[in-house]
Amino acid sequence: MLTSGGDAPGMNAAIRAVTRSAIFHGMTVKGIYRGYKGLITGEIAEFKTQNVSNIIQRGGTILKTARCMEFKTPEGRKQAFETLQKENIDALVAIGGDGTLTGARIFAQEFNYPVVGLPGTIDNDLFGTDVTIGYDTALNTIMQCVDKIRDTASSHDRLFFVEVMGRECGFLALNGALASGAEAAIIPEISMEKDQLSDILDYGIRTSKNSSIVLVAESEVTGGAMGVAERVKKEYPNFDVRVTILGHLQRGGSPSAQDRIMATRMGVAAIDALLEDQRNVMIGIQNEQIVYVPFSKAIRNEKPINRDLLEVLRITSI
Ligand code: ADP
């Protein structure tokens, strides 16, 4: 097993569950360090049950993670395959986001090799699963940060733009806004449809309030919180605007109960899937049930946000 790409709270719970479930079923487990990089360089160790003791509560990943350009080349993937053969590894569990699963899919096809993926990303942007490992913890972190920002925002009558992660998808921004009682969210799914900022400032907030908080998903289209704030300074100069970029704060911390439980269920399901001869699938959870989602679906399809939530936010922020 390996963790790759951006780390997410709950990855350790997944590592623990994969290890223990595999050993429970009589298999041998190896941990590959630093994602696909360790697969190429052979940074691999056998994992026993005690290797994963006392990690369920820890953020990050004990296997470390990395971004690996070589794995994007056929030569790099060939080296990775040779490592797997040399180490007598028969199947791979890859824990990571969109990029990790894209790499897993290409590798699995190229070498006809069994790979099962686990969705490990705070962005919640993988199709076929209601939630991803790390999303709930990140959402809670955002909520706690915004609660604190609200104290100062309301003391000074300011308009705060708080930037959260989610370059392509607004789950964190939209649900973060709902959870923290923020006035609005500016999300990538809507940015091509309408000018969310002018909507908010012309018709929305500020009519009845002195201070407002808007969650902004990082985005090349809107320029994120900085881009939006620059626009306000030019177009609505009477607002006292402030920007907070939560950045890597959002990735850290001890995983929430939900993330630990989900990651544990998914880790066990990964081994079940391999025992059932499933391959090239991502483990997902839909309506509380474990599902197997082909890599092609998990990666390619855009996961839609629930647009009803936009309306709920609009109604509750008047
Ligand atoms: P995440 O998994 O969090 O989305 P990245 O997008 O950085 O993170 O992807 C993690 C790693 O997956 C990359 O560093 C690379 O090794 C591998 N990867 C991503 N895209 C591809 C691809 N198209 N082909 C092969 N490997 C890929």
Side-chain angles (χ1 to χ4, degrees), residues 4-6 36 66-69 71-72 77 96-100 102-103 106:
S4 153
Y36 295 127
R67 300 214 146 86
C68 173
M69 291 317 284
F71 199 72
K72 292 190 173 180
R77 291 193 294 273
D98 190 67
T100 300
T102 303
I106 294 169

Side-chain angles (χ1 to χ4, degrees), residues 145-291:
C145 291
V146 176
D147 285 351
K148 293 190 167 80
I149 291 167
R150 182 175 294 285
D151 289 345
T152 181
S154 53
S155 304
H156 288 280
D157 291 358
R158 279 172 178 161
L159 172 57
F160 258 92
F161 291 108
V162 181
E163 183 174 298
V164 300
M165 287 185 175
R167 200 171 291 279
E168 312 269 322
C169 70
F171 286 100
L172 286 172
L174 180 54
N175 283 311
L178 282 170
S180 60
E183 277 63 31
I186 294 181
I187 59 173
E189 287 86 343
I190 309 292
S191 50
M192 292 302 181
E193 289 172 25
K194 62 178 179 184
D195 182 352
Q196 297 172 92
L197 179 65
S198 60
D199 249 25
I200 293 166
L201 294 184
D202 293 342
Y203 312 109
I205 58 172
R206 282 280 160 164
T207 49
S208 61
K209 293 184 179 181
N210 294 325
S211 72
S212 298
I213 297 177
V214 177
L215 264 62
V216 186
E218 58 180 350
S219 157
E220 271 148 35
V221 180
T222 62
M226 291 298 257
V228 173
E230 284 306 314
R231 264 193 67 195
V232 176
K233 281 183 201 155
K234 281 196 203 113
E235 296 170 36
Y236 305 85
N238 48 331
F239 288 140
D240 185 12
V241 184
R242 291 290 184 279
V243 169
T244 303
I245 296 173
L246 295 186
H248 285 87
L249 262 181
Q250 295 163 86
R251 281 197 194 287
S254 179
S256 66
Q258 171 161 323
D259 273 333
R260 296 181 197 192
I261 294 164
M262 272 234 319
T264 300
R265 288 183 67 191
M266 287 177 169
V268 169
I271 298 302
D272 289 345
L274 289 173
L275 288 170
E276 290 167 24
D277 274 336
Q278 293 278 344
R279 43 168 64 200
N280 310 341
V281 293
M282 179 192 82
I283 305 298
I285 291 190
Q286 287 175 16
N287 299 322
E288 277 300 308
Q289 300 299 314
I290 291 283
V291 289

